[in-house]
Amino acid sequence: MERGFEYLVDVHGEPGARDIFERICTNLFQSMYGPTTKSVEVSRGDGGIDVLVGDLPKPQKVYQCKFFLNGLGSSQRQQIKESFKTVTTNYEITDWRLCLPCILTQQDLLWWSNGNTSKVS
């Protein structure tokens, strides 16, 4: 039986599911890029980085994990813009990626493609 990320919410609640999603992302990127991959403790002051490859202040790759199960409403889009602005203000990055546990709608993809965040990656 295949279970979606909603199952994590049912079992662990929203905060627990969010943490597990970020750990899943971290484990995936560690398997891809090796020991230079690090997670950043979740906090309001994480600088817009959840997972990075390399070292600060010039990481090779930056990942922002957002646990949005139901697509991108205006609040979620604003959070993405703020995270991107925070990380690009604080660090010299060339590769920023957004990780979501959902499939985006056509409207979401158009928003993303139309440059609502600067084209870093």
Side-chain angles (χ1 to χ4, degrees):
M1 173 194 297
E2 186 176 315
R3 295 182 177 157
F5 287 104
E6 294 85 0
Y7 175 76
L8 293 177
V9 176
D10 293 342
V11 173
H12 302 283
E14 182 90 19
R18 187 179 309 114
D19 291 342
I20 291 168
F21 174 67
E22 190 168 317
R23 279 187 275 153
I24 290 168
C25 293
T26 300
N27 290 338
L28 172 66
F29 303 133
Q30 285 174 335
S31 73
M32 292 169 62
Y33 304 115
T36 62
T37 305
K38 306 162 194 76
S39 62
V40 177
E41 184 176 345
V42 178
S43 71
R44 297 289 282 162
D46 63 12
I49 299 173
D50 290 323
V51 182
L52 64 96
V53 179
D55 294 308
L56 294 176
K58 295 181 182 181
Q60 295 165 342
K61 297 178 185 307
V62 170
Y63 293 90
Q64 180 68 43
C65 305
K66 294 289 189 187
F67 193 71
F68 302 147
L69 289 175
N70 301 311
L72 305 178
S74 61
S75 173
Q76 291 79 18
R77 290 176 183 187
Q78 188 59 38
Q79 289 179 52
I80 292 167
K81 287 179 185 181
E82 288 173 11
S83 292
F84 183 79
K85 181 179 178 185
T86 299
V87 75
T88 56
T89 299
N90 292 312
Y91 304 106
E92 293 181 41
I93 63 166
T94 57
D95 194 344
W96 183 87
R97 310 231 176 161
L98 178 65
C99 303
L100 300 168
C102 65
I103 297 172
L104 297 178
T105 66
Q106 180 181 8
Q107 225 177 6
D108 294 336
L109 291 169
L110 284 170
W111 172 80
W112 182 258
S113 297
N114 285 330
N116 287 288
T117 56
S118 182
K119 298 289 185 191
V120 170
S121 174

